[in-house]
Amino acid sequence: MEQPMRALVTPFAPAVVAVALLAQVQGVQANDCQTIYEAYEALSKAPAYRQTMAFAGVPPMELIAIGDAIYMKPGPSWQKLPVDPGTRASMQKQTMPSAAALKDCSRVGTETVRGQPATIYQYTPPPMEGAGPLGPQRVWIGTTSGLPLRMTSQQETTDVNLFYENVVAPIP
């Protein structure tokens, strides 16, 4: 009985292996999308962070979020933008509603960011309302904290760095 079973399985072996490999690749992407989503969710709930942003052809900008207050420095001086409780999390949900909304998620390497080990992920975010499709982006997620440490976008030539320690309000 073993011989007929082997004869039946052998012609299908390449197809079975291909399906198994495809399922593994898709599973990795789904897990990678979940990891990326969870990092941004953690960012929206972080008690405080400072973000520096560099855009091609635009002077660098800085943002500080502490609780429900956001401070922006689009030029030489700071501005305080009070927000309602939960607004940061709500804004995150609008830009990235779920892990399933992310596409082409994959790990692309590891790197140390300001002394912190990080895993680099590439993904395509969901299109934003009123804007065209967004291109691939990368995020460096701290392996210890699970928080985004750096983000880049090829389409907008953007480089964003995030800091979570010793964050203080720049103005009252």
Side-chain angles (χ1 to χ4, degrees), residues 68 83-90:
D68 293 321
V83 295
D84 293 331
T87 298
R88 286 175 37 209
S90 175

Side-chain angles (χ1 to χ4, degrees), residues 112-135:
T112 301
V113 178
R114 296 180 304 279
Q116 299 177 55
T119 303
I120 307 165
Y121 293 89
Q122 183 164 304
Y123 67 100
T124 301
M128 293 176 61
E129 191 173 319
L134 298 170

Side-chain angles (χ1 to χ4, degrees), residues 11-163:
F12 296 106
V16 169
V17 169
V19 168
L21 288 173
L22 182 59
Q24 285 181 334
V25 168
Q26 288 176 340
V28 167
Q29 288 182 343
N31 289 340
D32 291 343
C33 287
Q34 186 65 37
T35 299
I36 294 164
Y37 175 76
E38 288 172 2
Y40 283 109
E41 278 286 297
L43 172 64
S44 74
K45 296 172 183 166
Y49 66 90
R50 182 171 65 93
Q51 178 175 314
T52 60
M53 299 162 279
F55 304 96
V58 177
M61 294 189 343
E62 197 168 349
L63 176 139
I64 292 176
I66 299 175
D68 293 321
I70 295 177
Y71 303 86
M72 289 189 69
K73 188 178 180 187
S77 59
W78 286 96
Q79 301 170 358
K80 182 177 181 181
L81 309 167
V83 295
D84 293 331
T87 298
R88 286 175 37 209
S90 175
M91 288 169 41
Q92 180 60 38
K93 281 280 188 209
Q94 287 176 359
T95 58
M96 191 179 295
S98 69
L102 302 172
K103 303 294 180 223
D104 306 319
C105 302
S106 63
R107 292 179 197 167
V108 294
T110 59
E111 198 172 285
T112 301
V113 178
R114 296 180 304 279
Q116 299 177 55
T119 303
I120 307 165
Y121 293 89
Q122 183 164 304
Y123 67 100
T124 301
M128 293 176 61
E129 191 173 319
L134 298 170
Q137 298 185 8
R138 286 192 175 192
V139 60
W140 284 248
I141 298 175
T143 55
T144 305
S145 68
L147 290 164
L149 303 175
R150 181 177 178 213
M151 301 177 281
T152 62
S153 167
Q154 295 170 348
Q155 183 178 11
E156 300 294 328
T157 318
T158 307
D159 193 353
V160 176
N161 283 278
L162 295 117
F163 307 84

